[in-house]
Structures are given as C-alpha cells and as structure tokens.
C-alpha cells in the first residue's frame, strides 16, 4: 500500500477542511439572508485563505516526501514528480 506524504498531517488537514466547509456554508447563509456584500466578500476571502493553507501544506508534504524520494532514486520517475510539482505550483499561483 502506498503511503502519501500528508499521512502524518491528515487530522490537521481534515480539521482545516471542515473549518473551510463551515465558512462556505456560512457564506451561503449570508447570501440567503441578504447580508452586506462587503461582509460576504470578507468571508469569501477567509474561506479562500483556509483552502490555500491546506493546499500549501499538501504541497510541502508532496515536496518533502514524494518529490524528495523520487529525486533520490532519479530517472524518469524523478522527472515526472518534479513536473507534477511544478504544474501544481503553477495552478496555485494562477488561482
């Protein structure tokens, strides 16, 4: 069985995701209740930051576990893992 790099941080990541999920539900409730748009935008920003925090933690785990392990082995697998990491970073920067 393959073990992902984030296995040690799984509980913390799930806690952050549950918090972000609650924030998104709160945003929907705010819109249903016709909350002031700036207040809604503030909560959208907070939810986005929470998800970015999860993404950065996953990226760090990927780099320190999967990419480091692959580069130690070298070859095409290392090139693939580096390309994956580069693509993931590009997606995060664009979002």
């Amino acid at each position: 069985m393959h073990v992902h790099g984030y296995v040690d941080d799984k509980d913390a990541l799930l806690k952050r995701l549950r918090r972000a999920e609650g924030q998104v539900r709160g945003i929907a409730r705010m819109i249903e209740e016709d909350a002031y748009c700036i207040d809604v935008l503030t909560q959208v920003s907070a939810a986005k930051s929470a998800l970015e925090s999860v993404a950065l933690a996953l990226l760090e785990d990927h780099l320190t576990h999967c990419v480091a392990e692959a580069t130690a082995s070298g070859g095409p697998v290392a090139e693939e893992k580096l390309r994956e990491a580069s693509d993931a970073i590009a997606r995060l920067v664009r979002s």
Side-chain angles (χ1 to χ4, degrees):
M1 184 171 111
H2 180 73
V3 176
H4 296 287
Y6 61 80
V7 71
D8 292 336
D9 299 324
K10 191 173 181 176
D11 290 337
L13 290 170
L14 288 170
K15 183 178 179 180
R16 287 181 184 179
L17 286 169
R18 283 191 287 276
R19 189 176 313 126
E21 181 181 24
Q23 288 174 310
V24 171
R25 281 194 307 270
I27 293 166
R29 192 170 35 258
M30 290 176 78
I31 290 175
E32 287 172 353
E33 296 171 357
D34 298 320
Y36 184 55
C37 53
I38 296 300
D39 294 339
V40 176
L41 288 170
T42 299
Q43 292 307 309
V44 168
S45 178
K48 182 179 175 187
S49 292
L51 288 174
E52 286 173 350
S53 172
V54 171
L56 290 173
L58 286 168
L59 180 60
E60 181 179 353
D61 285 341
H62 182 67
L63 290 172
T64 59
H65 180 263
C66 301
V67 174
E69 190 176 285
T71 55
S73 300
V77 173
E79 292 173 18
E80 177 187 347
K81 293 295 180 187
L82 288 169
R83 187 172 38 257
E84 283 177 353
S86 179
D87 292 346
I89 292 167
R91 283 191 301 273
L92 286 172
V93 169
R94 282 192 299 263
S95 63

